[in-house]
Amino acid sequence: MTKDLAYYLRLPYRVELCEDAIEGGYTVSIPELPGCLSCGETVEEAVANIREAKADWLAAAIEDGCTIPEPTRTEDYSGQFKLRLPKSLHKKLAEHAKREGISLNQYCVYLLSEQNAVRTS
């Protein structure tokens, strides 16, 4: 299969949308395509603008012969990683998990999820 513009436009790239509390409107980007971003006064306008910016970014990359990154897939990750931490922190986390009546693993996933939600909102 030839990887032309149509091929890349069909790929499910992740889009990030951020409200600009200071200037108003929204900024939108595609993290896997460095520098591919746009903005709009409304969510709808920002999304429409990033579609156009994506097409322009991809067309320029193809024309310049640049390597175009493809979207990362959830299937590429196992959901597991090893983490080393101080014994004192391990103890505190285990105690909190026990008080909540859940496993240490579940408690850590909860904490990471909560922190990730705060950072992405």
Side-chain angles (χ1 to χ4, degrees), residues 38-102:
S38 191
C39 59
E41 292 297 317
T42 65
V43 171
E44 294 79 12
E45 181 181 354
V47 169
N49 289 344
I50 197 62
R51 286 187 183 126
E52 184 177 330
K54 175 184 167 187
D56 291 344
W57 191 103
L58 291 168
I62 290 168
E63 184 177 316
D64 293 344
C66 297
T67 300
I68 301 173
E70 295 194 11
T72 55
R73 303 170 324 152
T74 303
E75 296 82 25
D76 294 339
Y77 298 91
S78 68
Q80 298 179 4
F81 67 95
K82 193 172 200 170
L83 177 66
R84 302 243 182 241
L85 52 133
K87 290 179 182 180
S88 59
L89 178 57
H90 188 175
K91 178 181 182 271
K92 288 178 185 177
L93 290 170
E95 290 169 351
H96 284 285
K98 186 175 182 179
R99 276 197 301 273
E100 294 294 324
I102 59 176

Side-chain angles (χ1 to χ4, degrees), residues 99-112:
R99 276 197 301 273
E100 294 294 324
I102 59 176
S103 71
L104 177 58
N105 187 62
Q106 288 174 314
Y107 186 65
C108 290
V109 168
Y110 162 75
L111 291 175
L112 290 168

